[in-house]
DNA sequence: GTGAAAGCGCTAACAC
DNA sequence: GTGTTAGCGCTTTCAC
């Protein structure tokens, strides 16, 4: 621990060979069995660990890939991560995950630092995307694939889903099972998902001939369950007077679960008094009590596709930007079961 | 994207200075304002990003720290991660998270690769620790601090908790609130936490003068909610005949939540028919319905302490191994509320 | 099969 | 204040 770390020269010396031979022996290149044996022994004896930095500098790659997300606490990212990890490691790479703040400049920062030297490629799923970030990503010295919707004209590998349509699925389901007055708890509108889902909700209401009522939408401070509880307190509180909501669509599972939490606290029964539908269909949805009906946005599949895209670009840098889109679908669970004696 | 990446020499050339001056200008060392200006401009124009690999090789450090866990899906690690991240970034380092498999050799592998070149230090919280891993950790070329219990005699910085006593807290609480027959759902016994908690349970039963009944303990396949559900199916199923359990202690929150899931599926009411207590007091415990009574093991504090220890060792490599222990405490929520008409 | 030597991109003496 | 140069630890031609 205190002695200077052994380098290749120490190993070579101990083995009585040149450092070139030592390197070859260790890396399985052409070398006599005898040399290999002696070098191996020397390396073990010295507890030699090759310096990855030096190796990467010489080789020009690190065999590491990075996945950057805004909030590791969100299970949707965990699911993506698992999917990414499995394809990436099959491709011989190791995965590092980093958590950026919500700030785009912080994200851009991370991209810069990661992309030059510490990783051979990057998958990023940012909540907020501005032009500066797109520029940074496009100019990054290593391939970047983004999970999420990009501004028009950005030429980057990307995998996205149609969360607008996803919200539509939720609304249609609720209407179809007898709900009449649907509230919407969204995340911040300056985020990409927040924006799409907002449009999706308006669209769905319109399509179903329902008048949008201003007070039926509440914007949470972020995509966490705490913010969901907070927002639900507002939304539900407002409706104590103005007439009852009988359903809420939440922009993700965390918000949905926060909403249920608050609804129960208010003495509302879920789903009897209030149906709740989330989005992302994370493990949380399955686990929760009651089970949370949720719109799957194919997080695992998006992760898998993103990883595939990245690997492909790594081996074939020249080709044009790909764009894959994963369709949403609804997973029905207890939180949106039809109200018992439907009052229609 | 396709042109060769600009290096310092390109920048220096464009700016019309030597590469040494360029380096100095960029790094805020002594340089004339005029030089700084020209170099800055050139760098921006070329979209120059310094190569971290080369820089690290020269400097001998990366300003990166790593946190390795077995299962990123467990919220307890998310909490540790947040805590670690905040102290580490205050110290000027960036945090990388890697997910190792459950396998100790895989973990050792990761340590090897991480510890030579990609990170200046490492925090690791492994479920399983064997001698080979301890040896690897001790010999690692960069400082390592482990969150968790080490075998006797290992000289590594470590922060631990007393989860044995933690289980005792849970048992005592349940007994105190009128429960009589307590089951235990543990994780694998070949893991460090599994082992401690097993001992803790036996100890607590003994201390309270309760005869341990073999069938009252069930070992889940791992520390996930799915495994918890599975184990609960076993445990609860067994007791359909042999007489009712009125409480379950689970070795972590995930197992606890899986247990509740299964209990409800069986038509048991929680807490009326069955009280459930988890461990780790993660955000999940607070969020769940009903709220999950849980033994806090101070995950955030453990993370914070681990990060502090690592930073200290980084600046002061010589000193002896530290060892800090964080005390557990109970957080009572709805899942263990006294049964209504207690049948005693 | 093996050794000598060049060089990956950068920083830090060291001279000027 | 600036340029020249050595060298971080490694891999890889290139001769032998």
């Amino acid at each position: 621990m205190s002695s200077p770390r052994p380098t290749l020269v120490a190993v070579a010396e101990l083995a009585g060979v040149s450092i070139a031979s030592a390197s070859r022996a260790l890396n399985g290149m052409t070398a006599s069995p005898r040399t290999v044996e002696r070098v191996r022994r020397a390396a073990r004896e010295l507890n030699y660990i090759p310096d990855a930095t030096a190796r990467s500098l010489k080789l020009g790659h690190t065999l590491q890939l990075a996945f950057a997300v805004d909030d590791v606490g969100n299970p949707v990212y965990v699911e993506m991560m698992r999917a990414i990890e499995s394809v990436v490691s099959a491709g011989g790479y190791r995965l590092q995950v980093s958590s950026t703040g919500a700030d785009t400049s912080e994200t851009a920062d991370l991209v810069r630092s990661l992309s030059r030297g510490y990783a051979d490629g990057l998958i990023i799923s940012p909540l907020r995307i501005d032009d500066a970030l797109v520029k940074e990503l496009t100019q990054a010295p290593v391939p970047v694939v983004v999970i999420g919707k990009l501004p028009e004209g950005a030429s980057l590998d990307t995998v996205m889903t149609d969360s607008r349509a996803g919200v539509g699925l939720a609304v249609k389901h609720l209407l179809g099972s007898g709900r009449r007055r649907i509230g919407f708890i969204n995340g911040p509108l300056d985020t990409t998902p927040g924006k799409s889902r907002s449009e999706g909700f308006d669209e769905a209401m319109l399509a179903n001939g329902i008048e949008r009522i201003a007070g039926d939408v509440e914007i949470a401070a972020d995509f966490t369950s705490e913010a969901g509880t907070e927002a639900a307190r507002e939304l539900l509180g407002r409706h104590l007077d103005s007439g009852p909501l009988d359903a809420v669509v939440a922009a993700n599972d965390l918000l949905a679960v926060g909403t249920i939490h608050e609804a129960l606290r208010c003495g509302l029964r879920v789903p009897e008094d209030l149906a709740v539908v989330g989005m992302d269909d994370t493990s949380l949805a399955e686990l929760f009590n009651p089970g949370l009906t949720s719109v799957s946005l194919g997080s695992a599949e998006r992760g898998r596709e993103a990883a595939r895209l990245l690997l492909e670009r790594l081996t074939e840098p020249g080709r044009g930007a790909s764009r894959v889109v994963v369709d949403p679908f609804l997973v029905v669970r207890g939180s949106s079961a039809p109200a018992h004696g439907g009052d229609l």
Side-chain angles (χ1 to χ4, degrees), chain A:
Chain A
M1 183 167 218
S2 48
S3 63
R5 302 163 186 172
T7 69
L8 236 208
V9 331
V11 174
E13 234 160 55
L14 214 191
V17 301
S18 74
I19 90 167
S21 292
S23 171
R24 280 187 291 246
L26 257 14
N27 291 308
M29 312 296 277
T30 154
S32 75
R34 185 165 157 284
T35 304
V36 171
E37 167 56 19
R38 304 180 53 157
V39 171
R40 282 243 174 86
R41 188 206 308 286
R44 194 163 333 116
E45 186 161 332
L46 294 174
N47 185 33
Y48 169 72
I49 301 178
D51 185 312
T53 304
R55 190 165 209 270
S56 297
L57 178 57
K58 182 69 196 171
L59 258 28
H61 65 244
T62 62
L63 292 183
Q64 305 226 98
L65 264 23
F67 179 43
V69 299
D70 290 307
D71 172 24
V72 254
N74 191 329
V76 73
Y77 295 126
V78 174
E79 261 152 62
M80 286 184 187
M81 205 201 100
R82 290 220 170 94
I84 293 171
E85 153 80 30
S86 79
V87 358
V88 140
S89 72
Y93 288 87
R94 219 186 278 278
L95 217 224
Q96 299 277 12
V97 354
S98 5
S99 177
T100 74
D103 205 355
T104 57
S105 73
E106 211 178 311
T107 308
D109 231 49
L110 182 78
V111 173
R112 296 206 132 225
S113 92
L114 232 41
S115 62
R116 194 58 190 264
Y118 291 132
D120 298 338
L122 180 58
I123 297 176
I124 180 172
S125 180
L127 248 16
R128 286 166 240 262
I129 304 188
D130 57 18
D131 289 344
L133 181 55
V134 170
K135 184 160 174 250
E136 196 73 52
L137 294 177
T138 314
Q139 293 185 158
V142 299
V144 173
V145 1
V146 357
I147 300 182
K149 195 169 153 205
L150 289 179
E152 285 306 319
S155 105
L156 280 162
D157 287 321
T158 155
V159 11
M160 42 183 293
T161 180
D162 188 351
S163 63
R164 257 166 83 149
V167 177
L169 257 26
V171 168
K172 188 171 151 222
H173 162 68
L174 288 168
L175 258 16
S177 46
R179 305 291 172 166
R180 283 297 159 256
R181 181 90 181 266
I182 303 176
F184 182 43
I185 291 192
N186 199 1
L189 293 178
D190 64 342
T191 63
T192 324
K195 185 149 167 286
S196 313
R197 287 159 211 202
S198 171
E199 293 166 4
F201 186 69
D202 291 349
E203 216 168 273
M205 296 307 261
L206 196 66
N208 289 284
I210 298 177
E211 194 190 347
R212 269 270 280 96
I213 299 169
D216 286 359
V217 173
E218 182 69 30
I219 309 298
D222 54 41
F223 284 98
T224 63
S225 59
E226 291 82 5
T229 300
E230 198 79 19
R233 178 149 38 235
E234 281 297 320
L235 182 69
L236 265 20
R238 210 145 56 212
H239 284 270
L240 257 26
D241 314 319
S242 72
L245 240 37
D246 60 4
V248 167
V249 174
N252 78 359
D253 286 351
L254 254 18
L255 292 171
V257 156
T259 299
I260 295 181
H261 193 74
E262 175 64 15
L264 297 173
R265 207 191 54 81
C266 295
L268 294 170
R269 292 166 306 164
V270 175
E272 292 82 353
D273 303 321
L274 189 75
V276 176
V277 176
M279 299 187 77
D280 279 342
D281 189 35
T282 59
S283 55
L284 191 56
E286 160 104 56
L287 202 59
F288 209 73
N289 170 38
L292 178 65
T293 294
S294 189
V295 178
S296 169
L297 267 19
S299 36
E301 192 180 347
R302 279 183 290 157
R304 227 168 6 245
E305 287 299 308
R308 199 177 52 75
L309 250 36
L310 185 54
L311 255 27
E312 282 180 17
R313 176 156 305 278
L314 250 15
T315 58
E316 198 187 333
R319 61 126 182 235
S322 303
R323 183 186 131 124
V324 358
V325 7
V326 172
D327 285 331
F329 59 93
L330 186 77
V331 179
V332 178
R333 298 197 182 82
S335 69
S336 68
H340 229 53
D343 53 7
L344 224 246

